[in-house]
């Protein structure tokens, strides 16, 4: 549900809570208020996380980019596979085998690696991969330069474990693409059910309180006085 609709539900519950006098009614409305506030908070966190993932995704997409020129060339010209001990990343760079060995540098951490190739055809190229799916052994990892290819060997910290994805981000993106079977009740529907049950089970005073608060809430929203 959109955040705007959740805010409207929250304001309506607040209005009803202000008018309610009976403990049972107030307890039910207070619980519903907390539920909606939690859902709003979760949606805000998901929105922030999505922005961060997009930034990380852009970094991963810019797999090979010259860093000493005034323009960037994005490429996804790489592939990877694995053995029991290593995750192997193959980066294609034409002519890389012709540059001095010291011009090809790789820095490893437990969950990332950073490749830098200096002065290849007058340019320098970098590839940075963060948030690897699982930890690697920094000391056991290395690189090899082959014809038009740099091979990155990330030694698995726990051998004989399977990597279904190269990075944690790839895993999360793929999982989000799967159909959702979340059966959680819609917030507005849940609120209506709560109010309906309170109304049906309540005495005359309770019903009058809800009726009055409901009318005032609707009038307030129609005048545009609801605070957000």
């Amino acid at each position: 549900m959109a955040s705007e609709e959740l805010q409207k539900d929250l304001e309506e519950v607040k209005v009803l809570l202000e008018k309610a006098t009976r403990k049972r009614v107030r307890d039910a409305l207070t619980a519903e208020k907390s539920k909606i506030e939690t859902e709003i908070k979760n949606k805000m966190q998901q929105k922030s996380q999505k922005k961060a993932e997009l930034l990380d995704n852009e970094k991963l997409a810019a797999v090979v980019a010259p860093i000493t020129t005034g323009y960037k060339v994005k490429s996804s010209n790489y592939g990877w596979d694995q053995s029991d001990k290593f995750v192997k990343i193959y980066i294609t760079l034409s002519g890389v085998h012709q540059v001095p060995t010291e011009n090809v540098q790789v820095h490893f951490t437990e969950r990332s690696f950073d490749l830098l190739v200096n002065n290849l055809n007058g340019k320098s190229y970098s590839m940075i991969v963060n948030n690897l799916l699982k930890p690697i052994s920094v000391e056991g990892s290395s690189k090899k330069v082959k014809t038009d290819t740099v091979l990155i060997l990330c030694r698995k910290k726990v051998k004989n474990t399977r990597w279904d994805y190269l990075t944690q981000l790839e895993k999360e993106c793929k999982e989000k693409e799967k159909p959702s079977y979340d059966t959680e009740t819609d917030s507005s529907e849940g609120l209506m059910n709560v109010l309906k049950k309170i109304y049906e089970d309540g005495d005359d005073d309770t019903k009058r309180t809800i009726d009055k608060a409901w009318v005032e809430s609707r009038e307030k929203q129609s005048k545009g006085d609801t605070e957000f």
Side-chain angles (χ1 to χ4, degrees):
M1 175 181 289
S3 297
E4 294 79 5
E5 292 299 317
L6 288 172
Q7 287 286 359
K8 289 179 182 179
D9 287 349
L10 180 59
E11 291 302 324
E12 195 158 288
V13 170
K14 287 180 179 179
V15 171
L16 294 170
L17 193 55
E18 289 175 359
K19 302 296 181 182
T21 58
R22 300 183 65 82
K23 184 177 184 301
R24 181 179 178 184
V25 176
R26 291 186 61 84
D27 288 346
L29 290 173
T30 299
E32 188 65 21
K33 175 174 172 286
S34 297
K35 178 183 175 182
I36 296 173
E37 288 174 339
T38 299
E39 189 166 350
I40 291 173
K41 181 180 178 182
N42 289 339
K43 282 190 174 293
M44 292 178 66
Q45 290 176 344
Q46 289 173 3
K47 190 174 181 180
S48 298
Q49 183 179 1
K50 187 175 181 181
K51 288 182 178 179
E53 288 176 352
L54 286 173
L55 290 174
D56 287 340
N57 206 15
E58 284 190 3
K59 290 180 181 178
L60 186 61
V63 175
V64 180
I67 60 174
T68 59
T69 62
Y71 64 92
K72 289 185 177 180
V73 178
K74 291 186 178 181
S75 171
S76 58
N77 201 10
Y78 79 101
W80 71 280
D81 62 15
Q82 62 186 305
S83 63
D84 290 341
K85 296 181 179 179
F86 291 95
V87 173
K88 308 171 186 180
I89 301 93
Y90 303 84
I91 303 101
T92 301
L93 285 171
S94 179
V96 69
H97 57 288
Q98 297 175 341
V99 303
T101 303
E102 60 269 18
N103 283 23
V104 182
Q105 304 168 8
V106 183
H107 174 70
F108 295 96
T109 72
E110 193 174 67
R111 295 293 293 272
S112 71
F113 68 83
D114 181 352
L115 167 68
L116 177 63
V117 180
N118 286 311
N119 197 22
L120 173 58
N121 299 323
K123 303 180 181 117
S124 292
Y125 295 81
S126 69
M127 176 179 176
I128 301 173
V129 175
N130 294 312
N131 299 317
L132 291 169
L133 184 66
K134 298 179 181 181
I136 62 174
S137 168
V138 174
E139 297 79 10
S141 298
S142 61
K143 69 166 190 314
K144 291 183 179 179
V145 178
K146 300 185 176 184
T147 303
D148 297 328
T149 302
V150 178
L151 170 60
I152 306 293
L153 296 165
C154 296
R155 188 178 184 90
K156 297 177 179 178
K157 199 154 193 177
V158 180
K159 63 181 181 179
N160 297 320
T161 56
R162 177 177 174 78
W163 289 33
D164 293 322
Y165 307 94
L166 181 59
T167 67
Q168 184 67 30
L169 176 61
E170 289 179 15
K171 176 184 177 182
E172 292 172 0
C173 289
K174 289 294 184 182
E175 288 178 348
K176 285 184 178 180
E177 292 175 2
K178 296 178 182 178
S180 175
Y181 299 99
D182 188 5
T183 57
E184 185 177 352
T185 305
D186 180 89
S187 293
S188 289
E189 183 180 348
L191 173 59
M192 291 299 295
N193 290 337
V194 170
L195 294 176
K196 183 179 179 181
K197 182 171 178 56
I198 294 174
Y199 191 88
E200 291 175 348
D201 296 343
D203 55 20
D204 291 341
D205 289 338
T206 298
K207 292 178 179 179
R208 279 195 295 271
T209 298
I210 293 178
D211 287 339
K212 182 179 178 181
W214 188 271
V215 171
E216 291 179 357
S217 172
R218 291 304 181 189
E219 289 177 349
K220 188 175 181 182
Q221 287 190 19
S222 65
K223 293 177 181 179
D225 294 335
T226 303
E227 296 179 358
F228 295 101

